[in-house]
Every structure is written in C-alpha cells, then in structure tokens.
Amino acid sequence: MATKLSIAKKVFMQEKDLILNSSSFHNFFSENEDWLKPYAAFCFLRDFFETSDHSQWGCFSNYSKDKLEKLVSKDALHYDTICFHYYIQFHLHLQLSEAAEYARAKGVVLKGDLPIGVDRNSVDTWVYPTLFRMNTSTGAPPDYFAKNGQNWGFPTYNWEEMSKDNYGWWRARLTQMGKYFTAYRIDHILGFFRIWELPDHAMTGLIGKFRPSIPLSQEELEREGIWDFDRLTRPYVRKEFLQVGESHLLVSHEEY
C-alpha cells in the first residue's frame, strides 16, 4: 500500500494540472463533492495526526462545514494533499466504471458487497456523529459457532435520527453503489430490522441485547404455556448438584 501510494503521488505531481483542469474531473467533482470534500479532509487530518481516531484531533474533532471549507480551501498550504485524495478517488471511479461497463457489454452482472456497519473511526462518524450510537458496538449473540458471541466493533445506527430526513445517508450510499453495480449483497441485512447491540467497553458478544426488541408480558408468556418464571430466570442449584461437586473435590484432592 505504501509503495502504491508513493508511486501514485509521483504520478499525481506530474499530471495534476492536466487532470484537475479536465472537464471529466470537473464533472466528477461536482457530482460527488458532498462526500468527496469531507473524505479528502478526513484523510489529510488522519495522516497529519497519525490516527483515524477523530476524537484525538483537537479542535477538528467536532466537524463543521466552516472547518471543512478552510481545510479544503485552495489557499491552504496543504491543498495539493487534498487534491491528491480527489485524484485517487477520481481514478478509482474511472477504473470501476470502465470495468462495470465492459461487464455489462458482455452480459455479466456485477454484484456489489455492502457491509451494514461503518468503522467508528471513519469519515461517516466524523461528519454525521448523530446518525450513530457511538457508545455501542455491534455483534452477534452466543451460538453454536461462537460460545462468547461476536463483537464486530462498529457502532449501531441511530435509526430514529436517520428517519428525520427519510434515511438520506442510506439513500446516498446505495445511490453511489448503483453507479457501478446492478445488485448488491448487504452483509447482515437482518441488521435493518434488529441488531445485537453491546456497550462500547464490551470485549466479547456476551453482554448484549437485541435492538429494537419488543418485550413479552407475563400474560403473553403464560398463554403460551410458560409459567415457571423463577425456574427460568433464577439460579437453579439442587442438593444433588452440590453433592456431586463435593465428591469431585474430594477425589481431586486425594489424587493430588
């Protein structure tokens, strides 16, 4: 990665004026600047502070449009660095578009892969912190394959906040992918309906809960034939269990 970026920067310095002044780049920039400018600023700050944890960025930890415009200003000393990130995204767009068009011409459908979550140290959580429950983590409950459950590390979504603009963040994300792919696979699509949510300090997936979840009343459970609530919700230790345990301890001690 470091080698590729080093080469890309050398090529960029040679052809930046040609590319950045081209009509194709101007079209790309105008169609994508809503995400492209924050992304380039994020990359610059990430490299400047040597961490993607934007809570460590001092006065830049809290995103604002005014701060963004200063960061991507043509008068900024680091403007070439900002433009380099534009340049990389522009070429990625060209290459993926060309591949997608070629595939379609040959009767091949490209299916994109869309993970449901985003990294907590990402441009999305920096720009739109209210869309995410940053004090939580996403995962999966304990099951046959993972007795401690799973902790995937990314924050859960604040669906209530997202609904206020008719899920604009998701619409933009899917629209962008629609430029290249005919279909997408959404990894863990069940997460749109309910997700296993953990506190952000959790190490495993054990201490989570489903969100959203609809509680069942005692009356509803009783109608289904579930009545022994103490047996199901409290520790169940019988005398013979303790006797077996004592015998095991005695045998172990004698063997020792």
Side-chain angles (χ1 to χ4, degrees):
M1 191 66 164
T3 300
K4 286 183 177 181
L5 284 173
S6 176
I7 295 169
K9 286 175 182 176
K10 291 177 181 177
V11 177
F12 167 72
M13 294 308 294
Q14 291 178 2
E15 63 177 29
K16 64 178 181 177
D17 293 334
L18 176 66
I19 297 296
L20 298 180
N21 291 316
S22 66
S23 59
S24 57
F25 175 78
H26 286 166
N27 291 336
F28 168 76
F29 186 84
S30 63
E31 291 176 6
N32 296 279
E33 63 178 311
D34 286 347
W35 66 264
L36 188 60
K37 287 162 71 173
Y39 175 76
F42 175 88
C43 291
F44 167 72
L45 291 170
R46 175 199 63 202
D47 296 343
F48 180 82
F49 287 101
E50 298 183 333
T51 178
S52 60
D53 181 356
H54 39 79
S55 68
Q56 306 298 314
W57 291 356
C59 66
F60 294 107
S61 292
N62 296 317
Y63 171 88
S64 74
K65 289 189 176 180
D66 288 341
K67 292 176 186 177
L68 174 66
E69 292 306 321
K70 290 178 181 177
L71 284 166
V72 301
S73 168
K74 292 182 179 179
D75 298 326
L77 293 175
H78 57 263
Y79 186 62
D80 269 359
T81 304
I82 296 293
C83 286
F84 173 69
H85 296 296
Y86 294 161
Y87 171 84
I88 290 293
Q89 293 302 309
F90 174 58
H91 275 289
L92 291 172
H93 162 72
L94 292 179
Q95 291 173 18
L96 188 52
S97 296
E98 183 181 356
E101 289 167 10
Y102 178 83
R104 290 190 188 104
K106 300 294 183 182
V108 175
V109 170
L110 290 188
K111 184 179 180 181
D113 191 80
L114 181 67
I116 191 172
V118 300
D119 194 289
R120 68 177 60 251
N121 297 325
S122 65
V123 63
D124 295 280
T125 58
W126 179 53
V127 177
Y128 306 107
T130 60
L131 299 185
F132 306 91
R133 291 166 58 82
M134 295 297 289
N135 62 338
T136 68
S137 185
T138 304
D143 58 20
Y144 180 79
F145 302 101
K147 65 179 182 179
N148 292 322
Q150 300 175 51
N151 184 346
W152 301 332
F154 48 77
T156 59
Y157 291 111
N158 184 348
W159 292 109
E160 294 78 12
E161 188 68 24
M162 286 184 161
S163 69
K164 292 178 181 179
D165 68 350
N166 198 24
Y167 307 96
W169 182 86
W170 271 105
R171 289 174 181 274
R173 195 179 185 198
L174 294 168
T175 299
Q176 187 69 16
M177 291 196 72
K179 295 178 181 178
Y180 313 107
F181 304 110
T182 303
Y184 352 94
R185 166 190 176 262
I186 300 178
D187 189 358
H188 203 66
I189 193 170
L190 188 61
F192 279 108
F193 305 95
R194 64 112 177 93
I195 199 93
W196 188 249
E197 186 177 75
L198 305 155
D200 58 355
H201 59 77
M203 300 301 291
T204 68
L206 288 174
I207 55 173
K209 61 182 180 181
F210 283 117
R211 183 177 183 274
S213 56
I214 301 173
L216 289 170
S217 68
Q218 181 172 333
E219 291 75 16
E220 288 176 298
L221 291 170
E222 287 174 344
R223 282 201 299 269
E224 297 298 323
I226 300 171
W227 53 271
D228 192 356
F229 298 106
D230 287 348
R231 169 69 179 84
L232 295 171
T233 59
R234 295 185 178 182
Y236 185 67
V237 183
R238 301 188 64 166
K239 186 176 180 180
E240 54 264 34
F241 295 165
L242 295 175
Q243 290 174 336
V244 169
E246 289 170 358
S247 299
H248 177 71
L249 288 173
L250 288 171
V251 170
S252 298
H253 179 71
E254 288 170 1
E255 288 177 347
Y256 178 75

